[in-house]
Amino acid sequence: MLVNQEKIIEALIETVQMVAFSMLFSALIGLPLGILLVVTRKGHLLENTVVFNIINSIINIFRSVPFIILMVAIIPITRMIVGTSIGTAAAVVPLVFYAGPYIARLIENSLLEVDPGVIEAAEAMGATPGQIILKFLIPEALSSLVLGFTIATIGLVGASAMAGAVGGGGLGDLAITYGYQRFDTTVMLITVAILVVMVQGLQSFGNILSKKIRRR
């Protein structure tokens, strides 16, 4: 085995850091975008065709670009933000550009599942658009939102591994540098096993949390 236990642990920590920070910033971007996509669409709370079309087009553009291409394409932006295009911190930038629009779509789908009758009832009680969003729309969709964020987090785990192809660090970098380029099958299998465990753990946690929210 050409790599020791310390390197595996270090790569795992880098992956967790990439996913955690990327998820945080992506959620901060995706959540308001997803809400805007819903409330500005035709016939909704804050109908605004111009705003809806602009946001919808921007999200479609970013979602149309494969992550590996997006990562290379925004290298100048990455350098401008973090000062480098290599390493864990640099990988967070393209991960956010990749996951933010994806989360917005997931949130849009979750909010659109809410029964229109709930909104009508809230309006009948005299609730403002802000109150309807925060106290009716989001709480009603919370179980679905949890599953959406779970899917997004799992997607980020896969994308963070892909980031290793261009020096992003983490488990992907370990698998490519030691497992593939140095023909170390053991490292490749360990990397795959860790990623499988991470994904299974995240999905199980998301499912359990969603069920608990749904029962309330």
Side-chain angles (χ1 to χ4, degrees):
M1 188 172 177
L2 298 174
V3 61
N4 55 32
Q5 184 178 354
E6 285 73 21
K7 281 193 174 295
I8 295 174
I9 294 174
E10 181 184 352
L12 174 60
I13 292 173
E14 288 176 350
T15 295
V16 171
Q17 289 175 335
M18 275 192 283
V19 172
F21 283 108
S22 300
M23 190 62 200
L24 173 62
F25 294 121
S26 297
L28 291 174
I29 294 172
L31 182 58
L33 287 179
I35 293 173
L36 281 172
L37 276 174
V38 173
V39 299
T40 60
R41 70 195 310 114
K42 188 176 181 180
H44 222 282
L45 291 173
L46 302 171
E47 181 180 335
N48 190 315
T49 305
V50 175
V51 173
F52 174 81
N53 287 334
I54 290 173
I55 296 175
N56 190 54
S57 298
I58 292 173
I59 289 175
N60 285 341
I61 290 170
F62 278 99
R63 291 203 62 209
S64 300
V65 183
F67 175 68
I68 193 70
I69 297 176
L70 177 66
M71 192 171 187
V72 175
I74 66 169
I75 282 178
I77 298 176
T78 302
R79 285 177 178 160
M80 183 175 65
I81 294 174
V82 297
T84 180
S85 60
I86 299 174
T88 304
V92 170
V93 178
L95 284 170
V96 171
F97 274 87
Y98 166 76
Y102 182 50
I103 290 175
R105 282 297 181 206
L106 292 173
I107 290 170
E108 178 192 22
N109 290 335
S110 295
L111 295 181
L112 287 175
E113 292 175 1
V114 176
D115 187 347
V118 173
I119 300 174
E120 291 173 4
E123 288 177 328
M125 288 187 288
T128 64
Q131 290 172 330
I132 293 174
I133 293 169
L134 295 175
K135 296 183 179 180
F136 293 90
L137 200 57
I138 292 177
E140 283 292 321
L142 194 56
S143 176
S144 179
L145 287 172
V146 168
L147 289 177
F149 278 112
T150 300
I151 293 170
T153 305
I154 291 172
L156 277 172
V157 171
S160 70
M162 201 184 304
V166 289
L171 292 169
D173 186 37
L174 184 75
I176 292 170
T177 303
Y178 292 91
Y180 176 71
Q181 294 179 350
R182 302 188 185 184
F183 306 102
D184 193 331
T185 306
T186 303
V187 172
M188 187 68 77
L189 290 175
I190 290 174
T191 303
V192 171
I194 293 173
L195 290 171
V196 169
V197 170
M198 287 180 68
V199 169
Q200 291 290 337
L202 287 167
Q203 188 65 66
S204 297
F205 176 75
N207 290 342
I208 293 170
L209 185 57
S210 178
K211 285 181 181 178
K212 286 185 176 180
I213 293 172
R214 195 178 300 124
R215 289 172 184 169
R216 291 177 183 176

